[in-house]
Coordinates of all heavy atoms in Angstrom, one line a residue:
M223 N -17.4 41.5 -1.6 CA -17.6 41.9 -3.0 C -17.0 40.7 -3.9 O -16.1 40.0 -3.5 CB -16.7 43.1 -3.4 CG -17.4 44.4 -3.4 SD -18.9 44.6 -4.5 CE -19.4 46.2 -3.8
S224 N -17.5 40.6 -5.1 CA -17.1 39.6 -6.0 C -15.9 40.1 -6.8 O -15.6 41.3 -6.9 CB -18.3 39.3 -6.9 OG -17.9 38.8 -8.1
D225 N -15.2 39.2 -7.5 CA -14.1 39.6 -8.4 C -14.7 40.1 -9.7 O -14.0 40.8 -10.5 CB -13.2 38.4 -8.7 CG -12.4 38.1 -7.5 OD1 -12.2 38.9 -6.7 OD2 -11.9 36.9 -7.5
V226 N -16.0 39.8 -9.9 CA -16.6 40.2 -11.2 C -17.0 41.7 -11.1 O -17.3 42.2 -10.0 CB -18.0 39.4 -11.3 CG1 -18.7 39.8 -12.5 CG2 -17.6 37.9 -11.4
Q227 N -16.8 42.4 -12.2 CA -17.1 43.8 -12.2 C -18.6 44.0 -12.2 O -19.3 43.3 -12.8 CB -16.5 44.5 -13.4 CG -15.0 44.5 -13.4 CD -14.4 45.4 -12.4 OE1 -14.8 46.6 -12.3 NE2 -13.5 44.9 -11.5
P228 N -19.1 45.1 -11.5 CA -20.5 45.4 -11.5 C -20.9 45.9 -12.9 O -20.0 46.5 -13.6 CB -20.7 46.5 -10.5 CG -19.3 47.1 -10.3 CD -18.3 46.0 -10.6
A229 N -22.1 45.8 -13.3 CA -22.6 46.4 -14.5 C -22.7 47.9 -14.3 O -22.9 48.4 -13.2 CB -24.0 45.8 -14.9
C230 N -22.5 48.6 -15.4 CA -22.7 50.1 -15.4 C -24.2 50.4 -15.6 O -24.7 50.1 -16.7 CB -21.9 50.7 -16.5 SG -22.2 52.5 -16.7
A231 N -24.8 51.0 -14.6 CA -26.2 51.3 -14.7 C -26.4 52.6 -15.5 O -27.2 52.7 -16.4 CB -26.9 51.5 -13.4
Q232 N -25.6 53.6 -15.3 CA -25.5 54.8 -16.1 C -24.1 55.4 -15.7 O -23.6 55.2 -14.7 CB -26.7 55.7 -15.8 CG -26.6 56.8 -14.9 CD -27.8 57.7 -14.8 OE1 -28.8 57.5 -15.4 NE2 -27.7 58.7 -13.9
K233 N -23.6 56.2 -16.7 CA -22.3 56.8 -16.5 C -22.2 58.0 -15.8 O -21.2 58.8 -15.9 CB -21.6 56.9 -17.9 CG -21.4 55.6 -18.7 CD -20.8 55.9 -20.0 CE -20.6 54.5 -20.7 NZ -20.2 54.7 -22.1
S234 N -23.2 58.3 -15.0 CA -23.2 59.5 -14.2 C -24.1 59.2 -12.9 O -24.8 58.2 -12.9 CB -23.9 60.7 -15.0 OG -25.1 60.3 -15.4
P235 N -24.0 60.0 -11.9 CA -24.7 59.7 -10.7 C -26.2 59.9 -10.8 O -26.7 60.6 -11.7 CB -24.1 60.7 -9.7 CG -23.5 61.8 -10.4 CD -23.1 61.2 -11.8
Y236 N -27.0 59.4 -9.9 CA -28.4 59.6 -9.8 C -28.6 60.6 -8.6 O -28.2 60.2 -7.5 CB -29.1 58.3 -9.4 CG -29.1 57.2 -10.5 CD1 -28.1 56.3 -10.6 CD2 -30.2 57.2 -11.4 CE1 -28.1 55.3 -11.6 CE2 -30.2 56.2 -12.4 CZ -29.1 55.3 -12.5 OH -29.1 54.3 -13.4
K237 N -29.1 61.7 -8.9 CA -29.4 62.7 -7.8 C -30.8 62.4 -7.3 O -31.8 62.5 -8.0 CB -29.3 64.1 -8.3 CG -27.9 64.5 -8.6 CD -27.8 66.0 -8.8 CE -26.3 66.4 -8.9 NZ -26.1 67.8 -9.2
M238 N -30.9 62.0 -6.0 CA -32.1 61.6 -5.4 C -32.4 62.4 -4.1 O -31.4 62.6 -3.4 CB -32.1 60.1 -5.1 CG -31.6 59.2 -6.2 SD -32.8 59.1 -7.5 CE -34.2 58.2 -6.7
E239 N -33.6 62.7 -3.9 CA -34.0 63.3 -2.6 C -34.2 62.2 -1.6 O -34.8 61.2 -1.9 CB -35.4 64.0 -2.8 CG -35.5 65.0 -3.9 CD -34.9 66.4 -3.5 OE1 -34.9 66.7 -2.4 OE2 -34.3 67.0 -4.4
V240 N -33.6 62.4 -0.4 CA -33.8 61.4 0.6 C -34.5 62.1 1.8 O -34.4 63.3 2.0 CB -32.5 60.8 1.1 CG1 -31.9 60.0 -0.1 CG2 -31.5 61.8 1.6
E241 N -35.2 61.3 2.6 CA -35.9 61.8 3.7 C -35.2 61.4 5.0 O -34.7 60.3 5.2 CB -37.3 61.2 3.8 CG -38.2 61.7 2.6 CD -39.6 61.0 2.7 OE1 -40.1 60.7 3.8 OE2 -40.2 60.8 1.6
A242 N -35.2 62.3 6.0 CA -34.6 62.1 7.3 C -35.1 60.8 7.9 O -36.3 60.6 7.9 CB -34.8 63.3 8.2
G243 N -34.2 60.0 8.4 CA -34.5 58.8 9.2 C -34.8 57.6 8.3 O -35.1 56.5 8.8
Q244 N -34.8 57.8 7.0 CA -35.1 56.6 6.1 C -33.9 55.9 5.7 O -32.8 56.5 5.6 CB -35.8 57.2 4.8 CG -37.2 57.7 5.0 CD -38.2 56.7 5.4 OE1 -38.3 55.7 4.7 NE2 -38.9 57.0 6.5
S245 N -34.0 54.6 5.4 CA -32.9 53.8 4.9 C -33.1 53.5 3.4 O -34.3 53.3 3.0 CB -32.8 52.4 5.6 OG -32.1 52.6 6.8
Y246 N -32.1 53.6 2.7 CA -32.1 53.3 1.2 C -31.1 52.3 0.9 O -30.0 52.3 1.5 CB -31.8 54.6 0.4 CG -32.8 55.7 0.7 CD1 -32.7 56.5 1.8 CD2 -34.0 55.9 -0.1 CE1 -33.6 57.5 2.1 CE2 -34.9 56.9 0.2 CZ -34.7 57.7 1.3 OH -35.7 58.7 1.6
W247 N -31.4 51.4 0.0 CA -30.5 50.3 -0.3 C -30.0 50.5 -1.8 O -30.7 50.3 -2.7 CB -31.2 48.9 -0.2 CG -31.5 48.6 1.2 CD1 -32.6 49.0 2.0 CD2 -30.6 48.0 2.1 NE1 -32.4 48.6 3.3 CE2 -31.2 48.0 3.4 CE3 -29.3 47.4 2.0 CZ2 -30.6 47.4 4.5 CZ3 -28.7 46.9 3.1 CH2 -29.3 46.9 4.4
W248 N -28.8 50.9 -1.8 CA -28.1 51.2 -3.1 C -27.7 49.9 -3.8 O -27.1 49.0 -3.2 CB -26.9 52.1 -2.9 CG -26.0 52.4 -4.0 CD1 -26.3 53.3 -5.0 CD2 -24.7 51.8 -4.3 NE1 -25.2 53.3 -5.9 CE2 -24.3 52.4 -5.5 CE3 -23.9 50.9 -3.7 CZ2 -23.0 52.1 -6.1 CZ3 -22.7 50.6 -4.2 CH2 -22.3 51.2 -5.4
C249 N -28.1 49.9 -5.1 CA -27.7 48.7 -5.9 C -26.2 48.8 -6.3 O -25.7 49.7 -6.8 CB -28.5 48.8 -7.2 SG -27.9 47.6 -8.5
A250 N -25.5 47.7 -5.8 CA -24.0 47.6 -6.1 C -23.7 46.8 -7.4 O -22.7 47.0 -7.9 CB -23.3 47.0 -4.9
C251 N -24.7 46.0 -7.8 CA -24.4 45.1 -8.9 C -24.6 45.8 -10.3 O -24.1 45.4 -11.3 CB -25.2 43.9 -8.9 SG -27.0 44.1 -9.3
G252 N -25.5 46.8 -10.3 CA -25.7 47.6 -11.5 C -26.9 47.0 -12.3 O -27.2 47.5 -13.4
K253 N -27.5 45.9 -11.9 CA -28.6 45.3 -12.7 C -30.0 45.6 -12.2 O -30.9 45.1 -12.9 CB -28.4 43.8 -12.6 CG -27.1 43.4 -13.3 CD -26.9 41.9 -13.3 CE -25.6 41.5 -14.1 NZ -25.2 40.1 -13.9
S254 N -30.2 46.4 -11.2 CA -31.5 46.7 -10.7 C -32.3 47.5 -11.8 O -31.7 48.3 -12.5 CB -31.4 47.5 -9.5 OG -32.7 48.0 -9.1
G255 N -33.5 47.2 -11.9 CA -34.4 48.0 -12.8 C -35.0 49.2 -12.1 O -35.7 49.9 -12.7
S256 N -34.6 49.4 -10.8 CA -35.1 50.5 -10.1 C -33.9 51.4 -9.6 O -33.8 51.7 -8.4 CB -35.9 50.0 -8.8 OG -36.9 49.2 -9.2
Q257 N -33.0 51.7 -10.5 CA -31.8 52.4 -10.1 C -32.1 53.8 -9.5 O -33.1 54.4 -9.9 CB -30.9 52.7 -11.4 CG -30.3 51.4 -11.9 CD -29.3 50.8 -11.0 OE1 -28.7 51.5 -10.1 NE2 -29.1 49.5 -11.1
P258 N -31.3 54.2 -8.5 CA -30.0 53.6 -8.1 C -30.2 52.5 -7.0 O -29.2 52.2 -6.3 CB -29.2 54.8 -7.6 CG -30.3 55.6 -6.9 CD -31.5 55.5 -7.8
F259 N -31.4 52.1 -6.7 CA -31.7 51.2 -5.6 C -31.9 49.8 -6.0 O -32.2 49.5 -7.2 CB -32.9 51.8 -4.8 CG -32.7 53.2 -4.4 CD1 -33.6 54.2 -4.8 CD2 -31.7 53.6 -3.6 CE1 -33.5 55.5 -4.4 CE2 -31.5 54.9 -3.2 CZ -32.4 55.9 -3.6
C260 N -31.7 48.9 -5.1 CA -31.7 47.5 -5.3 C -33.2 47.0 -5.5 O -34.1 47.4 -4.8 CB -31.2 46.8 -4.0 SG -31.3 45.0 -4.0
D261 N -33.4 46.1 -6.5 CA -34.7 45.5 -6.7 C -34.6 43.9 -6.5 O -35.5 43.2 -6.9 CB -35.3 45.9 -8.0 CG -34.6 45.2 -9.2 OD1 -33.5 44.6 -9.0 OD2 -35.1 45.4 -10.3
G262 N -33.4 43.4 -6.0 CA -33.3 42.0 -5.9 C -32.6 41.3 -7.0 O -32.4 40.1 -6.9
S263 N -32.3 42.0 -8.1 CA -31.7 41.4 -9.3 C -30.3 40.9 -9.1 O -29.8 40.2 -9.9 CB -31.7 42.4 -10.5 OG -33.0 42.8 -10.8
H264 N -29.7 41.3 -8.0 CA -28.3 40.9 -7.7 C -28.2 39.4 -7.3 O -27.1 38.8 -7.3 CB -27.7 41.7 -6.5 CG -28.5 41.5 -5.3 ND1 -29.6 42.3 -4.9 CD2 -28.3 40.6 -4.3 CE1 -30.0 41.9 -3.7 NE2 -29.3 40.9 -3.3
K265 N -29.3 38.7 -7.1 CA -29.3 37.4 -6.5 C -28.4 36.5 -7.4 O -28.5 36.4 -8.6 CB -30.7 36.8 -6.5 CG -31.5 37.3 -5.3 CD -32.7 36.4 -4.9 CE -33.4 37.0 -3.7 NZ -34.5 37.9 -4.0
G266 N -27.5 35.8 -6.7 CA -26.5 34.9 -7.4 C -25.3 35.5 -8.0 O -24.5 34.9 -8.5
S267 N -25.3 36.9 -7.9 CA -24.2 37.6 -8.6 C -23.0 37.8 -7.7 O -21.9 38.1 -8.2 CB -24.7 39.0 -9.0 OG -24.9 39.8 -7.9
G268 N -23.1 37.6 -6.4 CA -22.0 37.8 -5.4 C -22.0 39.3 -4.9 O -21.3 39.6 -4.0
F269 N -22.9 40.1 -5.5 CA -23.0 41.5 -5.0 C -24.2 41.6 -4.1 O -25.1 40.8 -4.1 CB -23.3 42.5 -6.2 CG -22.1 42.7 -7.1 CD1 -22.0 41.9 -8.3 CD2 -21.1 43.6 -6.8 CE1 -20.9 42.1 -9.1 CE2 -20.0 43.8 -7.6 CZ -19.9 43.0 -8.8
H270 N -24.1 42.6 -3.2 CA -25.1 42.8 -2.2 C -25.4 44.3 -2.1 O -24.4 45.1 -2.3 CB -24.7 42.3 -0.8 CG -24.4 40.9 -0.9 ND1 -25.3 39.9 -0.9 CD2 -23.2 40.2 -0.9 CE1 -24.8 38.7 -1.0 NE2 -23.5 38.9 -1.0
P271 N -26.6 44.7 -1.9 CA -26.9 46.2 -1.8 C -26.2 46.8 -0.6 O -25.9 46.1 0.4 CB -28.4 46.2 -1.7 CG -28.8 44.9 -1.1 CD -27.8 43.9 -1.6
V272 N -26.0 48.1 -0.6 CA -25.4 48.9 0.4 C -26.4 49.8 1.0 O -27.1 50.6 0.3 CB -24.2 49.7 -0.1 CG1 -23.6 50.5 1.0 CG2 -23.1 48.7 -0.7
E273 N -26.6 49.7 2.4 CA -27.5 50.6 3.0 C -27.0 52.0 3.2 O -25.9 52.2 3.5 CB -27.9 50.0 4.4 CG -29.0 50.8 5.1 CD -29.4 50.2 6.5 OE1 -28.6 49.4 7.0 OE2 -30.4 50.6 7.0
F274 N -27.9 53.0 2.9 CA -27.6 54.4 3.1 C -28.7 54.9 4.1 O -29.9 54.8 3.7 CB -27.7 55.2 1.8 CG -27.5 56.7 2.1 CD1 -26.2 57.2 2.2 CD2 -28.6 57.5 2.1 CE1 -26.0 58.6 2.4 CE2 -28.4 58.9 2.4 CZ -27.1 59.4 2.5
K275 N -28.3 55.3 5.3 CA -29.3 55.9 6.2 C -29.2 57.4 6.2 O -28.2 58.0 6.4 CB -28.9 55.4 7.6 CG -29.3 54.0 7.9 CD -29.0 53.6 9.4 CE -29.2 52.1 9.6 NZ -28.8 51.7 10.9
A276 N -30.3 58.0 5.8 CA -30.4 59.4 5.7 C -30.6 60.0 7.1 O -31.6 59.8 7.8 CB -31.5 59.8 4.8
E277 N -29.6 60.9 7.5 CA -29.8 61.5 8.8 C -30.6 62.8 8.7 O -31.2 63.2 9.7 CB -28.4 61.8 9.4 CG -27.6 60.5 9.8 CD -26.2 60.8 10.2 OE1 -25.8 62.0 10.4 OE2 -25.5 59.8 10.5
E278 N -30.6 63.3 7.5 CA -31.4 64.5 7.3 C -31.9 64.5 5.9 O -31.4 63.8 5.0 CB -30.6 65.8 7.5 CG -29.3 65.8 6.7 CD -28.4 67.0 7.0 OE1 -28.7 67.7 8.0 OE2 -27.4 67.1 6.3
A279 N -33.0 65.3 5.6 CA -33.5 65.4 4.3 C -32.4 66.1 3.4 O -31.8 67.1 3.8 CB -34.8 66.2 4.3
A280 N -32.1 65.5 2.2 CA -31.0 66.1 1.4 C -31.2 65.5 0.0 O -32.0 64.6 -0.3 CB -29.7 65.7 2.0
T281 N -30.4 66.1 -0.9 CA -30.2 65.5 -2.2 C -28.9 64.8 -2.3 O -27.8 65.5 -2.0 CB -30.3 66.7 -3.3 OG1 -31.5 67.4 -3.2 CG2 -30.2 66.1 -4.7
I282 N -28.9 63.6 -2.6 CA -27.7 62.7 -2.6 C -27.4 62.3 -4.0 O -28.3 61.9 -4.7 CB -27.9 61.5 -1.7 CG1 -28.3 61.9 -0.3 CG2 -26.7 60.6 -1.7 CD1 -27.2 62.6 0.5
S283 N -26.1 62.3 -4.4 CA -25.7 61.8 -5.7 C -25.3 60.3 -5.5 O -24.2 60.0 -5.0 CB -24.5 62.6 -6.2 OG -24.9 63.9 -6.6
F284 N -26.2 59.4 -5.8 CA -25.8 58.0 -5.7 C -25.1 57.5 -7.0 O -25.5 57.9 -8.1 CB -27.1 57.2 -5.6 CG -27.8 57.3 -4.2 CD1 -28.9 58.2 -4.1 CD2 -27.4 56.6 -3.2 CE1 -29.5 58.3 -2.8 CE2 -28.0 56.7 -1.9 CZ -29.0 57.6 -1.8
C285 N -24.1 56.7 -6.8 CA -23.2 56.3 -7.9 C -24.0 55.4 -8.9 O -24.7 54.5 -8.5 CB -22.1 55.5 -7.3 SG -21.1 54.7 -8.6
G286 N -23.9 55.8 -10.2 CA -24.6 55.0 -11.2 C -23.6 54.1 -12.0 O -24.0 53.1 -12.5
R287 N -22.3 54.4 -12.0 CA -21.3 53.7 -12.7 C -20.9 52.4 -11.9 O -20.3 51.5 -12.5 CB -20.1 54.6 -13.0 CG -19.0 54.0 -13.8 CD -19.4 53.7 -15.2 NE -18.4 53.1 -16.0 CZ -18.1 51.8 -16.0 NH1 -18.8 51.0 -15.2 NH2 -17.2 51.3 -16.7
K288 N -21.1 52.5 -10.6 CA -20.9 51.3 -9.7 C -19.4 51.1 -9.5 O -19.0 50.0 -9.1 CB -21.6 50.0 -10.1 CG -23.1 50.2 -10.5 CD -23.9 50.7 -9.3 CE -25.3 50.9 -9.7 NZ -26.2 51.5 -8.7
Q289 N -18.6 52.1 -9.7 CA -17.1 52.0 -9.5 C -16.6 53.0 -8.5 O -15.4 53.1 -8.3 CB -16.4 52.2 -10.8 CG -16.7 51.3 -11.9 CD -16.0 49.9 -11.8 OE1 -15.1 49.8 -11.1 NE2 -16.4 49.0 -12.6
T290 N -17.5 53.6 -7.8 CA -17.1 54.6 -6.8 C -16.3 54.0 -5.7 O -16.5 52.8 -5.3 CB -18.3 55.3 -6.2 OG1 -17.9 56.3 -5.2 CG2 -19.3 54.4 -5.6
G291 N -15.3 54.8 -5.1 CA -14.6 54.3 -4.0 C -15.2 54.7 -2.7 O -14.7 54.5 -1.6
N292 N -16.4 55.4 -2.8 CA -17.1 56.0 -1.6 C -18.6 55.6 -1.7 O -19.4 56.4 -1.5 CB -17.0 57.5 -1.6 CG -17.5 58.1 -0.4 OD1 -17.5 57.6 0.7 ND2 -18.1 59.3 -0.6
H293 N -18.8 54.3 -1.9 CA -20.2 53.8 -2.1 C -21.0 54.1 -0.9 O -20.5 54.0 0.2 CB -20.3 52.4 -2.6 CG -19.7 51.4 -1.6 ND1 -20.3 51.1 -0.4 CD2 -18.5 50.7 -1.7 CE1 -19.5 50.2 0.2 NE2 -18.5 49.9 -0.5
P294 N -22.3 54.4 -1.1 CA -23.1 54.5 -2.3 C -23.0 55.8 -3.0 O -23.6 56.0 -4.0 CB -24.5 54.2 -1.9 CG -24.6 54.9 -0.5 CD -23.2 54.7 0.1
R295 N -22.2 56.8 -2.5 CA -22.1 58.1 -3.1 C -21.2 58.1 -4.3 O -20.2 57.4 -4.3 CB -21.7 59.1 -2.1 CG -22.7 59.4 -1.0 CD -22.0 60.3 0.0 NE -22.9 60.5 1.1 CZ -23.5 61.7 1.3 NH1 -23.3 62.7 0.5 NH2 -24.3 61.9 2.4
C296 N -21.5 59.0 -5.3 CA -20.6 59.3 -6.4 C -19.3 59.9 -5.8 O -19.4 60.8 -5.0 CB -21.3 60.2 -7.3 SG -20.2 60.9 -8.6
D297 N -18.1 59.5 -6.3 CA -16.9 60.2 -5.9 C -16.2 60.7 -7.2 O -15.0 61.1 -7.1 CB -16.0 59.2 -5.1 CG -15.4 58.1 -6.0 OD1 -15.8 58.0 -7.2 OD2 -14.5 57.4 -5.5
G298 N -16.9 60.7 -8.3 CA -16.3 61.3 -9.5 C -15.5 60.3 -10.4 O -15.0 60.7 -11.4
T299 N -15.4 59.0 -9.9 CA -14.6 58.0 -10.6 C -15.1 57.9 -12.1 O -14.4 57.6 -13.0 CB -14.7 56.7 -9.9 OG1 -14.1 56.8 -8.6 CG2 -14.0 55.6 -10.7
H300 N -16.5 58.1 -12.3 CA -17.0 57.8 -13.6 C -16.4 58.8 -14.7 O -16.3 58.4 -15.8 CB -18.5 58.1 -13.6 CG -18.9 59.5 -13.3 ND1 -19.1 59.9 -12.0 CD2 -19.2 60.5 -14.0 CE1 -19.4 61.2 -11.9 NE2 -19.5 61.6 -13.2
R301 N -15.8 59.9 -14.2 CA -15.2 60.8 -15.2 C -13.9 60.3 -15.8 O -13.5 60.7 -16.9 CB -14.9 62.1 -14.5 CG -16.1 62.9 -14.1 CD -15.8 64.3 -13.7 NE -16.9 64.8 -12.9 CZ -16.8 64.9 -11.6 NH1 -15.7 64.7 -10.9 NH2 -17.9 65.4 -10.9
S302 N -13.2 59.3 -15.1 CA -12.0 58.8 -15.6 C -12.1 57.4 -16.2 O -11.1 56.8 -16.6 CB -11.0 58.7 -14.4 OG -11.5 57.8 -13.4
L303 N -13.3 56.9 -16.4 CA -13.5 55.6 -16.9 C -14.0 55.7 -18.4 O -14.6 56.7 -18.8 CB -14.5 54.8 -16.1 CG -14.1 54.5 -14.7 CD1 -15.2 53.8 -13.9 CD2 -12.9 53.6 -14.7
Ligands
FES428 FE1 -28.1 45.4 -7.6 FE2 -29.5 44.4 -5.6 S1 -30.2 44.6 -7.7 S2 -27.5 45.1 -5.6

């Protein structure tokens, strides 16, 4: 991770349906135009996407504030910022 803070994509999580066996790449930098997932916009920022492998079909709350301590999932940190 970089010392630079990530951009805030949105101040609440993105609830997304995931499919069993699929990999999803969560945007850590906050600059993707395809939130909450990486679109390559992090290049040169020092941030890198984080892989989420779905073991089962589910609805996942992906962090939008990019300050979660449990990336890529929301841990509620956005409520205190
Ligand atoms: Fe944000 Fe890739 S665009 S990590």
Side-chain angles (χ1 to χ4, degrees):
M223 262 307 168
S224 157
D225 290 339
V226 177
Q227 292 291 308
C230 173
Q232 97 176 3
K233 293 179 180 173
S234 56
Y236 293 88
K237 287 193 177 178
M238 308 292 291
E239 307 280 328
V240 297
E241 292 179 30
Q244 293 290 310
S245 278
Y246 298 85
W247 291 90
W248 174 74
C249 167
C251 74
K253 294 185 176 166
S254 172
S256 304
Q257 292 294 335
F259 304 122
C260 175
D261 71 353
S263 298
H264 62 271
K265 285 201 176 92
S267 71
F269 289 96
H270 302 283
V272 175
E273 185 177 18
F274 176 83
K275 284 186 187 171
E277 292 176 5
E278 57 188 3
T281 302
I282 303 293
S283 291
F284 288 99
C285 174
R287 185 66 183 83
K288 312 301 181 184
Q289 299 280 348
T290 179
N292 185 33
H293 60 72
R295 292 171 181 254
C296 172
D297 70 353
T299 297
H300 63 275
R301 293 192 203 103
S302 61
L303 297 174

